[in-house]
Amino acid sequence: MAKDLRHFLEQYEQDHPEDVVTIEKPVSLKHEIGILIDQLDRERKFPLLRIKNPILCNGKPSEFEVIMNEIGSRGKLAYAMGSNWEKVSQDWRRLALENKQKPVVISREDAPVKEQILKGDDVDMLRYPAYQPYLMLAHPYISLAPMITYHPEAGIDNMGIHRGEIQSKNRIAFLFSPDNHNSMNFHKYEQELNQNMKCAIVAGLHPNVLMASQTKMGYPESHFEACGGLLGEPLRLVPSETLGDNFMVPADAEIVFEGEIKAMKRTAEGPYSEYTRHIGAQRWCPYMEVSCITQRKDPLWSNYAIGRNHAFQGLAREFRVYDIVKRVVPQVTRVYLLPHAGGDDGLGFCFIQIKKTAEGQARTAIHSALTSNYSVKHVIVVDEDVDIYDERQVFWAVATRAQPDKDWIIQTDVMSSIVDPSIENHWGSKAGIDATRPAPPEPFLIPTMFPEEDMKRFKLNDYVPKDLLQKIPDAFRKVETDE
Ligand SMILES: Cc1cc2nc3c(=O)[nH]c(=O)nc-3n(C[C@H](O)[C@H](O)[C@H](O)COP(=O)(O)O)c2cc1C
């Protein structure tokens, strides 16, 4: 059996029943779904959600089940790849870029995504459980379905996620950031060839396929091969129905929308709830006309916890930042993009751990990290005795090992994220903090410590039993009172 979304859900439910919530009660895809995710977020919970009876944004019951959070935590992404919490980003790089596997093509008869084929009047995007999680959105949005396009000369596939505003039964508007490869392909079709761009939107995928869609490949370079690396088996492809036999789509997806993005045509897209948890303005954007839908019987649909997802986008960038900084400063030991600062993409803070051997290394690491990606906005560098996965320890280092007048670095007029609400145009500023001790042999105060043998011997559970410990409230979480 090929690895697909259903396979992942089954395995995860078997291995982690405590992290799966099935909701039978109707949940509206307009606002209620956003509130559900927000309230879970406040509890710091991100279970895999199976919403069995969603209500469409137009108030009608949905025919299809909605899945959320299958990629909603670092732990789930690690599980999907057979990795662990700490190594997940390095394993992502290794599998997607060094273990690539060529896809295989299967027949239409064997492809689950061809169980139903809808054309003409049967094409109706408004049937699908796309969501409007926040106020001010004009239409339902597709949030977690990668777009596939092909490079016009090389014929190589590209796969990237774009939010899609469903404006009518067969029209979807898309936002294209200029650096994305689908956007570069569209530029070629429209500006150089004066042609529409064929494309497919693929919904309901195994988390590893979603991860491959977020892996920054060369241009042009196949994401299908990265899927194979992450899945540990070749991605199964099948020819499209209306885009030609050379236009291949994933055979094990739940749904594929086929169509074309129109050259020299634009529509107003937005307002949309950006991952920064602000409502982004309307923009003139390209749109797709859907010509055909192929799907499984009773397809599953995924929505993305926009602005509340704690892992996906930041983690996709983590190994890219690490690779660049490590090349410049080999003393760097770990990089962590703090997931919830700046929404869900690690835009806010990048923590770097270093085993410093000479002065200047931490500062060089700051400059390298800030320029490694337009969206890395703040960098904090700490010593090897600080756990970068625990922000309390990182801020302790900032408080005790950095002097603002000497150790804070500001970069001005650099390219930044287009959805950062605090910038004008694409230019913004960035900051780094060198929170490291002086390099040896310079003296510095020793942090408080314990004898190593006592640390090994002492077990907290011998003094505070596990069940009691679990019941003690999280002292750092704000407690709501009735006042
Ligand atoms: C949930 C989600 C939504 C995204 N929405 C958009 C979008 O609307 N427009 C865009 O250009 N990029 C968007 N991205 C980012 C791209 O998918 C990402 O940069 C990807 O790596 C692009 O790959 P490519 O350059 O190979 O096409 C989104 C990412 C995620 C995870």
Side-chain angles (χ1 to χ4, degrees):
M1 191 173 114
K3 284 189 186 164
D4 58 11
L5 177 59
R6 287 164 197 241
H7 177 258
F8 174 79
L9 295 175
E10 201 178 298
Q11 295 276 306
Y12 194 73
E13 287 198 60
Q14 222 173 66
D15 294 346
H16 291 285
E18 76 291 351
D19 195 34
V20 180
V21 176
T22 302
I23 301 180
E24 299 286 347
K25 235 173 132 73
V27 177
S28 169
L29 295 161
K30 191 167 182 175
H31 307 154
E32 249 181 31
I33 191 137
I35 298 171
L36 172 69
I37 293 296
D38 180 64
Q39 305 237 329
L40 283 168
D41 180 48
R42 284 167 199 262
E43 296 291 324
R44 304 194 201 200
K45 309 284 174 181
F46 247 68
L48 171 61
L49 291 176
R50 302 198 67 160
I51 302 172
K52 295 285 181 181
N53 295 297
I55 305 293
L56 299 177
C57 295
N58 63 13
K60 293 184 187 153
S62 162
E63 299 160 71
F64 312 118
E65 177 182 341
V66 165
I67 309 294
M68 285 191 81
N69 295 346
E70 72 275 28
I71 48 159
S73 63
R74 198 173 170 106
K76 287 190 203 57
L77 293 167
Y79 174 88
M81 280 195 303
S83 178
N84 64 35
W85 206 89
E86 195 159 318
K87 288 206 305 214
V88 55
S89 118
Q90 286 302 313
D91 282 342
W92 183 333
R93 177 182 56 70
R94 182 175 56 77
L95 295 172
L97 301 178
E98 293 164 21
N99 286 36
K100 290 194 275 187
Q101 291 195 36
K102 288 207 182 308
V104 292
V105 178
I106 64 167
S107 70
R108 286 185 164 84
E109 294 70 43
D110 292 335
V113 78
K114 301 284 189 186
E115 282 173 4
Q116 295 181 329
I117 296 175
L118 308 168
K119 289 184 187 163
D121 278 352
D122 290 336
V123 169
D124 183 2
M125 297 299 306
L126 303 171
R127 278 176 75 193
Y128 295 90
Y131 69 176
Q132 276 171 252
Y134 301 101
L135 275 174
M136 294 178 71
L137 276 59
H139 295 107
Y141 268 83
I142 300 176
S143 52
L144 195 58
M147 173 188 289
I148 293 173
T149 66
Y150 283 82
H151 188 279
E153 290 119 35
I156 293 175
D157 67 272
N158 186 65
M159 183 164 32
I161 298 174
H162 301 257
R163 85 262 194 124
E165 182 181 14
I166 302 179
Q167 296 188 333
S168 71
K169 277 176 80 168
N170 66 349
R171 180 190 277 199
I172 318 172
F174 290 103
L175 174 77
F176 280 142
S177 300
D179 62 317
N180 279 342
H181 296 165
N182 282 333
S183 159
M184 287 158 72
N185 280 352
F186 183 56
H187 185 86
K188 280 183 175 292
Y189 283 103
E190 181 182 68
Q191 303 296 324
E192 295 171 21
L193 304 168
N194 193 22
Q195 280 176 17
N196 298 337
M197 176 170 74
K198 292 177 183 174
C199 76
I201 306 301
V202 188
L205 293 165
H206 190 283
N208 291 349
V209 178
L210 293 172
M211 291 168 87
S213 80
Q214 290 302 290
T215 307
K216 198 73 191 171
M217 313 297 290
Y219 180 71
E221 190 182 1
S222 171
H223 285 253
F224 290 161
E225 294 186 14
C227 289
L230 284 157
L231 286 167
E233 63 187 33
L235 182 72
R236 302 197 317 161
L237 296 176
V238 65
S240 71
E241 293 302 303
T242 54
L243 306 175
D245 276 354
N246 288 337
F247 197 110
M248 297 285 170
V249 295
D252 294 298
E254 294 287 320
I255 313 171
V256 172
F257 302 109
E258 300 181 4
E260 285 190 339
I261 304 221
K262 298 289 167 190
M264 309 312 286
K265 295 268 176 71
R266 297 292 185 269
T267 183
E269 187 271 347
Y272 187 57
S273 43
E274 309 288 358
Y275 61 75
T276 59
R277 302 190 187 180
H278 289 79
I279 298 295
Q282 236 178 17
R283 299 178 174 87
W284 282 116
C285 285
Y287 63 87
M288 167 185 184
E289 271 178 18
V290 182
S291 52
C292 175
I293 302 173
T294 75
Q295 63 186 32
R296 298 181 183 221
K297 289 191 197 102
D298 298 323
L300 302 172
W301 179 274
S302 266
N303 281 322
Y304 184 73
I306 180 83
R308 298 290 189 280
N309 186 304
H310 287 217
F312 191 48
Q313 290 205 71
L315 194 52
R317 299 210 167 102
E318 202 171 287
F319 68 81
R320 282 157 53 201
V321 177
Y322 175 87
D323 285 351
I324 291 170
V325 179
K326 180 87 179 166
R327 211 169 300 148
V328 182
V329 185
Q331 291 75 17
V332 163
T333 45
R334 285 189 177 86
V335 168
Y336 179 49
L337 293 190
L338 193 63
H340 40 266
D344 52 26
D345 106 326
L347 174 72
F349 284 89
C350 169
F351 296 163
I352 296 178
Q353 191 193 55
I354 188 171
K355 199 166 171 27
K356 207 165 93 173
T357 54
E359 285 315 328
Q361 288 164 347
R363 281 157 182 268
T364 307
I366 287 173
H367 286 293
S368 309
L370 289 176
T371 49
S372 66
N373 189 292
Y374 66 86
S375 75
V376 174
K377 189 170 171 187
H378 302 98
V379 172
I380 299 176
V381 185
V382 294
D383 296 300
E384 76 279 8
D385 65 334
V386 175
D387 178 358
I388 55 167
Y389 304 116
D390 179 352
E391 65 236 48
R392 284 180 302 158
Q393 289 200 31
V394 172
F395 287 113
W396 165 77
V398 172
T400 59
R401 296 180 181 182
Q403 282 297 310
D405 65 339
K406 290 199 225 55
D407 296 317
W408 290 47
I409 293 168
I410 307 287
Q411 288 184 349
T412 54
D413 296 332
V414 281
M415 190 180 156
S416 303
S417 166
I418 58 168
V419 295
D420 178 347
S422 64
I423 64 158
E424 285 171 21
N425 301 319
H426 285 200
W427 302 102
S429 59
K430 297 183 171 213
I433 302 175
D434 175 357
T436 58
R437 293 167 296 198
E442 288 300 313
F444 195 76
L445 291 186
I446 295 167
T448 49
M449 292 190 298
F450 306 101
E452 211 169 299
E453 55 288 5
D454 288 353
M455 282 285 281
K456 276 193 193 135
R457 183 186 46 79
F458 192 96
K459 300 276 177 281
L460 179 60
N461 288 156
D462 294 344
Y463 299 83
V464 186
K466 219 176 193 166
D467 50 341
L468 176 60
L469 193 63
Q470 267 164 3
K471 284 190 201 136
I472 299 172
D474 178 343
F476 293 98
R477 188 176 314 158
K478 187 178 151 202
V479 178
E480 302 293 344
T481 58
D482 293 337
E483 290 156 40

